[in-house]
Structures are given as C-alpha cells and as structure tokens.
Amino acid sequence: MSTDDVYALMARSQELPYGEARTVLVEDALRRAEAAGDEVLAFHVRVRLTDAYRYGGEPVKAFATFSRSLADHDRDPGRFDETHGLLWQIKAIVSSLTLFPEIPLDRAYSVLDDMERRYKAGGHSLQAVYHYRNVVARHVGDGSADEWYAKWRAAERDELSDCEGCDPTGMARHLVQAGRHEEAFEIAAPVLDATLRCNEQPQSIQTAMLPVYLRTGRTEQAADAHRRAYRVHRTRLADMGDVAEHLEFCAVTGNEARGLEILQRHLGWLDRAPSTHAEMSFCAAAALVLGRVAAAGHGEATVRRPAADGRPAADVPLAELRAELAERATELAGRFDARNGTSCQGDQIRAVLEAEPVAEFVPLAAHHRRPAPAAPAAAQRPVPDDDLSAETDLDRLLDIADERRTRRDLSRSLAAWRRFDAVAETAEPTPLQKARRLDGKGVEHAVAEEWPPAASFLEAAHELFGELGDDTRRHRVLGRLGAVHLRMGDRRGVDEMVTAAEYFTSNPTGEGDATSSLLRLATAYVELQRPAEALATLDRVDPDDDPVSAGEMWFVRGQALLMSEDGEGAVAALRRSAEAARAADDPELVAPPVLLLARALAQRESGPDDEVIALIDEGLAALPGPSPMRAAAHSERGLALLALDRPADAAADLAEAIAGWTAEGLHEQAIHLRVDLAAAYLSTDRHLEAAETAEEALPALTGPEDAGSERRCRLILAHAQKGLGEEEAAASFTSLAQDAAREGQHDAAAHFLYEAADVLSNLDQDVVAAERFAEATEAFEKAGDPYGVVRTGRRRAMCLLWSGDTDEALTVVDAARAALAGLPPDNEPARVWETALVSYDEARILAQAGRLPEAASAASAAVDGFTALDQSDPAAEAARLRDDITAAMER
C-alpha cells in the first residue's frame, strides 16, 4: 500500500477543525501507515492522533496512542524522534488522568514523576511540572496546591511551559478556587487583550475569568467574556466542561433563559461526554439552571432530550430532568471522592447545585432588559398627595375630578375620587353622585386598560343616568362605553359612539361634547382601518365648539390621511397638530404629532433627512419616561439613522428600542428590529454583536410574511461569522446559495458560493474551498457573468495548488485563461486587470510545477498589465515574483 495516501489523508485532516471528522481521517491514515509497514510514518501519525483524540473530545483514547508513541521513542529515540511533542503531550495526559474516577490516582502521580524525570534529563525548567502537580493537588483538594502554585510562579518559563494564555489561565483557576479573585484578575490582566494563537485560547482564559469578573463587580467584562468564549466552546465537544461553567454563569446572573437555551443545545452531549468529570460538571450546572428556570415561574416547562442508544427523543418535564441531573452529578462526585480519598469534588458539586445568584441580572447585550413589572391594579394604584383633605362636599369633589380629567390630569382626578370615597363612608351620596362616581370608576379602569371592569362600571353609570333623566351625562358615558367595548372586540361600540356623536351634534352643550364625541368616533374609525369614515366624521367638527381640541383633531386627520396614502395631506395636518401642541405649553401633547410627522416625512421617496431626526429628538424630549411611545420613537430614529448611513448612531437607538419594547412586554415589536440592529452592528464591524443579535432574531422569523427578513438575517449572520473567522460562515453562505439556486437566482447563488469558498480558503481548508469555487464557477456560468467565471476559476486553481494538486491547478488555471476571451470588449481596464491577475497566479502555479521559463513569462505579463493600469503595488509584487523565478532559473 502506498504511503502517498497517508500523506494525503494527513494533509486533508489538517484542513479540518478538531472533532470526529478529523479524527476519522487520522485514524485511517494510521491504519494505512501500519499496513504499508512504515513504522516511522506510523509513529508520527500516532503522535498526531493523540492530539486529535484530546482536542476532539476523546481523551481516554489518547492514553493508548500516547503510551505507544512514548514506548517507541524510548526504544529508539533516534528513529522515533518527536521528543518535544511527547514532552508537551505528557502534560495533557496528567490532567486527563484525573478526569476518570476508574483510573487510580497513583497513575497520575506516576506520570508526574516520569514527567519530572524526563524534563530534568532534557535540561528543561520544571515550571510545567509544578503547574501540573498543582492541577492534581487542586483536583483532590490537597493543601500542597498552594506550595506547588508558589513554585510554579517562581520557576522560569521555557519552551515546554504552557502558552502565554494557558499558563495564566491555570493560575487564575487556582486563585479562584482559593477565593483570591483580585489576584486572579491581576494575573490574567496582561494577556486578556493579547492576540493568542493557541487552540484553547482566548476562550479558556475568558471562561476562567467569569467568576473573577462577577466577584469583583466587573459585570460588563463578564458578559463580554461569556459571549465571546461560549461562541467557540459551543462547537467543541472537548470543551463540555467549559460549557458547564457558562451554564453556571447564566444561572447566577439572572440569565436563566439563555442558560436553558445552552442546556437544550448541548443536552445530547451527555450521551458522548468527553470525560466523566465533564459529564459531572455539566449535570450539576444544568440542574442549577433548571432550578433557576423553575424559580422564575416556569417549573411546568419541558426540555427536549434527543434520541440516543435506543432511547427515543422525548420532552422531559423540567423537574424530572433537574432531579435526574442533580442525582447523576452527585453520584459521579461520590465516585471521584472515593478514588481521591477526599470530599473535594463532592463539595464543589454541592456548591454548584446550591449556588445563589451573584447578581440579580447581568445584561448580556445593550438591548437585553427584563420586562417591567405589571402596573398595580386600579384600586391599589398610588396617587399623589393633594390638598383635598379638608374638602367634604361630594359634588365639589366630583366637579374637581371632572375638571381635572378634562385637562387630562388623571392623577389629580384620582386624588379627588379617593377623597370622595373617604367622605362617602360617612355621608350617603345621592343617586346622581353615585352615577358620577360609577362613571369615574369606569374611567379609572379604562386608563389602566382593565376593560371588563371598566365596561361594568360604565354600563351601571349609563343605566343610572338614564333613570335620573340626565341625557347629557348618559350620552357622555355612552361614548366612553363604546370606546371600551371596541377595545374588548365588541363592534357594538361603534354604534354606541355614533349614537353619542349624533346626540351631541344635535344637542350642543357649549362644553365641547360634540367635538369630543366626534373625535372619539374618528379615532375609532382610524383604529379600525376605516380612514374614509374617519375623515368624514372629522369634517363634521365645528372648530368653534372646542378650539382647544384643534391639535387632536389635526392629529387624527393626519393618521387618517396616512392610511389613505395622502402623504402630503398627512404632513400638512400633522404640522398643524404639532404647532397646536407646542402652543398648548404641555410637553406631553407634543410627542404624538411630532413623532407621527417624523414617520410621515421618513416615508417619502427621498427618505429620512435631518428634519426627521430633529422631530424625533423633540418627541423623545417631550416623553417623561419609559413607554411604548418612547420605544417606538427610538425605533423610528434608529431606522432613520440606518437609512442615513449612520449605523453607529442607529445601533444605540435600535438597542434602546428593543430594550424598551421588551420592558413593556411587547416582544413582537422587537423581532424585526433585531435584524436591523444586527445590520447596524455589521456595518460598524461589530461582528460579535451582529452575530449574537442575528441568532436571537432568527428563531422568531418563521412566518411566510417573515421570509424576506429571515433571508436578510441569515445573510447578516453569515457575514458576521466570516468577520469572526468562524467556519460556520461557509455553511451559512452555502445554505443561502442553495435557497437562491432553488429560486433560479443564479447570480445570488454564485455570489454566496464565492463567499463560502473565500471563508474556507481563509481557514486554509483548500480542498473544500476548491470544490466550492468549482460550484461558484458553474453558477456564474448560469448567471452569464464572465468576470465571475474567471475569478472563481483563478481562485480555485490556487486552492488546488495549496492543497498539493499542482497538475489539476494547471488544468484549472488554463481554463481560467481561456475564459478571459468571454469578457466584454467594452471595458478594457477590467479585461486588463483580470488578465494580469490570471497571469500572476499562473506564474505561481507554473513555478511550483518546475516550468520556470513559462512562469517567468507569465509573471512578466502580469507586471505589464498592472503597470498599464498604474497599479504600482500589484506591479511591484509581480516584479518580485518574476525576479525570484529568474533567480531560480539561474541557479
């Protein structure tokens, strides 16, 4: 059997992330190397397989491959020479031995002693030895951990020490276990912002710092570390223990929903846990999360457990799963303690299961906010102190309440009604006074949006006014009752409001009743999407009946005109409404017309402008506190700023809007805004925030009407993942390409395939990248895009070169050169540019193939092309390539 297959498999494995797929390739390579009888090659593959097992989530398998590799090395160090690699791997073997309670602890101590002997023999520092003696001591709860920590800190680092990120990570974990959180922060601080290249960093140090940040009041850093680290851990089975720490973080920071999401995503990992210790830690942290979810009032929920080993998938009651996981964690901790002869692991698991919140709530993003508590019921609603304590005249108190209610001063009306109720306990009200108070109670409940009790009180008041023959008050109540009925979905409310309006237009009171009843009816028509009837009703308003209501009348007219798609008329009406509101010297009256005016202006073909932003600023300044209108204003300003290409400013408003809607419990309003916020983050290169926000939005975009937003959200996520350097970006772009292809959008499919290939190429997954570029070429051909055909052919050829397939690279680059003939003749600069790029890459491929004269000619052609376009940097790079090839020819 040829060893070429072994090298090809190993090359392919290097392109894959650690995990099952990579491990399978390395295992196959080892079988082939052994079958070929090449002991040395098999030795080197076996060393790599140890790494694959460790980082791929199967550390127990690494014991056998490491032992075999070490034995081969000891038998013939000159022939089986990977001394440094084996001395490096022994550290992981030590820590892995502690993770399985069935392995005697003496094995770990024996390997530690062997490690120390080998390090001394090689003249290496014992810094790493002290480190891993500390690891074992901490695992069993041995007091010598402090001594080993001191030696570890004092010893000189060398090439066998853990990397600059992993070393302080271990030190921080020691200090956290000792409760020395500030010292842990000081140890880690120098490398927290460093660029770390280790496979385990920076996610490991970010995870280790979670309790440090929380215990030292650095909650924003804690949230950021959680978000960044978990994104890496969530794709790696080997990091199951780290995922457990993120579950615990969510549980103690008020992020139960996030914790439940993480638990649901990884619950299936328990069926293939990388180690007993990881399983134990995950079970304990998951049980803690489920306890927090139950305490938050969701104890009746279920959790979907995936199928495994003959067990069908099932929805498990939360309480049942919590008890099962807690029992499993406790049982496993008992096995560790029995092996170790201490209670350390059991103590740690009990501490997790019983952990109390460290913070009431740590927002994980700017737009995360808990819903506001419900307002108290009307009967308990607090009212401001007033100067009515000496007033005992029931009629006077009702007049004060009506007067203040007319002025929209409902909080002071409440004070008058409360005083009325207190006086009425000792003075029997008259039937008229009772009717007026029933009307007031109906208004109180209506203001609180408590519609059934509001209707009951108003119906009683309406009936009593009728018995008393007070038609004016009876019809006033009838108009209010109609509005309440409409809110309850009872369409008879419209008829009731029509009756009230007809009465007052025929029987004017001189107190503005005709205007108020017509305005109420017109508003109802607007809410019912019946703008023509609303406008007809407004046309009946006598401007002299109640001049104070002019601003409201123009506001309702503006709403109706917007519904009628009369944008200019709506803008004119809303300008008059805003002017009237400003003249009234009541800031709260200003917000509705200016905000709606801003929306109307933003909808013009020219889009939003500075006036729109100024109007929204004015509206926000007029709003006294959190409210749906304030959330809507931030929504409008965020969208306007996004349209004005000011994404950084837009992000702040959109985040505030989402938080505001969520605080009001109006989650539906925030769904599509999350997509806009993700777009704003992406436009400002805030890739992590963009990805997280898009992932939040996607699960809710499930309806047919959401198809466009869902596609846009997936595209944002794909670009954000690419910006983060995540492999998932390739799958995201490929999925978008498949959707586009199904819809016959070959140009879009080609673009997305190109992006997917580019991601894979950037990650050095050249074989898969070449395949994706080939698919993109085909899609560009279907789309009739000759530039795309040339570009993807050239990129594919380079990926083939980097993957070691030089012959196929030559074939593909020849095809790319032939495709140049299909470029449009009317764009000479573009043709010259694409030709120069093909020549440059062709020169690199020809040089690798040993065809140096042809390579030099191609490089010279590239220089000429770039020079003709005055592209000095590319020309200089091509010239360097030409000179290197020429020098090689002369040697």
Side-chain angles (χ1 to χ4, degrees), residues 18-20 22-24 26-28 30-31 45-66 89 96 237-238 274:
Y18 284 108
E20 183 178 2
R22 178 166 177 160
T23 299
V24 167
V26 181
E27 287 176 334
D28 190 16
L30 179 58
R31 283 192 293 269
V45 172
R46 196 174 292 113
V47 172
R48 301 286 78 78
L49 184 56
T50 297
D51 289 335
Y53 284 144
R54 176 194 171 199
Y55 292 120
E58 299 179 284
V60 72
K61 293 183 178 180
F63 297 145
T65 54
F66 175 77
Q89 287 180 342
S96 294
L237 177 62

Side-chain angles (χ1 to χ4, degrees), residues 682-767:
L682 183 65
S683 295
T684 52
D685 293 331
R686 296 169 64 176
H687 298 115
L688 174 64
E689 290 92 336
E692 296 269 316
T693 306
E695 288 174 342
E696 285 179 15
L698 271 174
L701 299 171
T702 57
E705 70 282 1
D706 298 324
S709 293
E710 189 264 355
R711 186 77 57 86
R712 177 184 177 218
C713 192
R714 287 166 57 204
L715 180 57
I716 292 168
L717 176 59
H719 280 293
Q721 290 169 329
K722 183 178 182 181
L724 290 167
E726 295 180 349
E727 184 183 358
E728 291 91 334
S732 297
F733 280 120
T734 301
S735 175
L736 287 164
Q738 291 167 346
D739 289 349
R742 277 193 295 269
E743 297 168 5
Q745 300 176 3
H746 299 299
D747 54 345
H751 169 75
F752 295 141
L753 287 168
Y754 183 91
E755 288 286 354
D758 191 48
V759 169
L760 294 165
S761 178
N762 291 338
L763 294 172
D764 294 330
Q765 296 186 26
D766 299 311
V767 173

Side-chain angles (χ1 to χ4, degrees), residues 319-585:
E320 177 184 326
L321 182 61
R322 178 191 177 196
E324 177 188 330
L325 294 175
E327 181 181 356
R328 179 64 173 163
T330 303
E331 186 262 324
L332 292 176
R335 289 171 56 188
F336 276 107
D337 286 346
R339 190 270 306 264
N340 298 339
T342 68
S343 66
C344 181
Q345 293 300 307
D347 292 342
Q348 291 179 4
I349 291 304
R350 283 185 288 275
V352 172
L353 291 171
E354 299 167 6
E356 295 294 328
V358 176
E360 181 180 357
F361 181 54
V362 175
L364 300 181
H367 58 279
H368 288 183
R369 190 179 297 169
R370 279 183 163 167
Q380 288 79 41
R381 191 171 291 106
V383 297
D385 293 334
D386 212 323
D387 55 354
L388 302 175
S389 58
E391 184 61 67
T392 59
D393 187 323
L394 295 180
D395 283 326
R396 175 61 184 149
L397 287 168
L398 290 170
D399 289 341
I400 292 172
D402 284 348
E403 175 191 355
R404 291 174 175 177
R405 172 155 52 107
T406 301
R407 298 201 320 251
R408 294 183 173 83
D409 194 353
L410 288 175
S411 62
R412 295 178 68 81
S413 292
L414 283 170
W417 282 325
R418 294 291 175 271
R419 179 58 184 163
F420 176 96
D421 293 340
V423 174
E425 291 179 0
T426 57
E428 179 66 21
T430 67
L432 179 59
Q433 290 168 343
K434 289 180 180 178
R436 294 178 69 186
R437 183 64 187 100
L438 287 169
D439 179 22
K441 288 182 178 179
V443 171
E444 289 182 60
H445 285 286
V447 168
E449 298 185 359
E450 297 160 356
W451 307 119
S456 291
F457 281 116
L458 291 172
E459 286 168 353
H462 178 261
E463 182 179 352
L464 189 49
F465 280 132
E467 292 173 1
L468 295 171
D470 191 336
D471 284 343
T472 297
R473 287 195 171 97
R474 181 167 69 89
H475 283 91
R476 285 174 181 165
V477 172
L478 184 63
R480 287 192 276 274
L481 179 59
V484 169
H485 278 152
L486 193 61
R487 290 287 186 180
M488 295 170 66
D490 187 342
R491 292 302 177 93
R492 65 177 166 162
V494 174
D495 295 334
E496 290 166 338
M497 285 185 279
V498 168
T499 299
E502 292 298 336
Y503 175 83
F504 285 117
T505 53
S506 300
N507 301 278
T509 62
E511 298 178 22
D513 289 294
T515 297
S516 63
S517 62
L518 288 167
L519 279 174
R520 183 180 292 116
L521 178 59
T523 300
Y525 283 136
V526 167
E527 292 173 355
L528 292 169
Q529 303 288 310
R530 292 158 62 176
E533 290 163 279
L535 291 169
T537 300
L538 292 170
D539 288 341
R540 298 173 60 192
V541 173
D542 180 355
D544 296 326
D545 181 57
D546 184 14
V548 175
S549 298
E552 183 179 357
M553 186 273 293
W554 285 112
F555 178 70
V556 178
R557 184 176 291 278
Q559 290 178 298
L561 290 168
L562 277 177
M563 287 183 184
S564 303
E565 298 185 358
D566 182 358
E568 293 306 315
V571 166
L574 292 169
R575 288 195 189 281
R576 295 190 66 171
S577 178
E579 290 168 6
R582 294 178 185 121
D585 196 28

Side-chain angles (χ1 to χ4, degrees), residues 185-439:
F185 180 79
E186 293 171 5
I187 286 285
V191 298
L192 289 175
D193 295 323
T195 300
L196 303 174
R197 302 297 183 186
C198 171
N199 180 66
E200 299 178 50
Q201 298 296 346
Q203 66 272 14
S204 290
I205 196 166
Q206 290 166 340
T207 299
M209 292 300 289
L210 291 175
V212 175
Y213 290 139
L214 289 178
R215 298 292 180 179
T216 58
R218 298 174 171 94
T219 55
E220 289 188 11
Q221 288 171 268
D224 186 66
H226 161 68
R227 289 160 55 223
R228 293 182 183 279
Y230 174 68
R231 285 194 70 82
V232 180
H233 291 314
R234 70 182 185 177
T235 64
R236 301 181 176 190
L237 177 62
D239 294 356
M240 187 176 183
D242 298 276
V243 171
E245 294 184 64
H246 287 270
L247 282 171
E248 183 178 355
F249 168 83
C250 291
V252 300
T253 57
N255 287 287
E256 306 86 17
R258 166 83 165 182
L260 185 59
E261 173 193 327
I262 293 173
L263 166 59
Q264 183 70 77
R265 180 181 291 133
H266 300 288
L267 186 57
W269 281 10
L270 283 174
D271 298 307
R272 51 194 182 104
S275 69
T276 310
H277 194 276
E279 179 186 357
M280 174 186 72
S281 300
F282 187 94
C283 286
L288 176 64
V289 166
L290 293 175
R292 289 280 174 261
V293 172
H298 304 288
E300 300 303 314
T302 60
V303 179
R304 186 70 174 174
R305 172 184 274 169
D309 296 331
R311 183 194 69 215
D315 293 318
V316 184
L318 186 149
E320 177 184 326
L321 182 61
R322 178 191 177 196
E324 177 188 330
L325 294 175
E327 181 181 356
R328 179 64 173 163
T330 303
E331 186 262 324
L332 292 176
R335 289 171 56 188
F336 276 107
D337 286 346
R339 190 270 306 264
N340 298 339
T342 68
S343 66
C344 181
Q345 293 300 307
D347 292 342
Q348 291 179 4
I349 291 304
R350 283 185 288 275
V352 172
L353 291 171
E354 299 167 6
E356 295 294 328
V358 176
E360 181 180 357
F361 181 54
V362 175
L364 300 181
H367 58 279
H368 288 183
R369 190 179 297 169
R370 279 183 163 167
Q380 288 79 41
R381 191 171 291 106
V383 297
D385 293 334
D386 212 323
D387 55 354
L388 302 175
S389 58
E391 184 61 67
T392 59
D393 187 323
L394 295 180
D395 283 326
R396 175 61 184 149
L397 287 168
L398 290 170
D399 289 341
I400 292 172
D402 284 348
E403 175 191 355
R404 291 174 175 177
R405 172 155 52 107
T406 301
R407 298 201 320 251
R408 294 183 173 83
D409 194 353
L410 288 175
S411 62
R412 295 178 68 81
S413 292
L414 283 170
W417 282 325
R418 294 291 175 271
R419 179 58 184 163
F420 176 96
D421 293 340
V423 174
E425 291 179 0
T426 57
E428 179 66 21
T430 67
L432 179 59
Q433 290 168 343
K434 289 180 180 178
R436 294 178 69 186
R437 183 64 187 100
L438 287 169
D439 179 22

Side-chain angles (χ1 to χ4, degrees), residues 773 777 788-798 809 812-813 815-816:
F773 275 126
T777 300
V789 171
V790 171
R791 194 173 303 121
T792 51
R794 176 175 57 79
R795 294 288 304 274
R796 179 189 173 200
M798 291 306 299
V812 173
V813 80

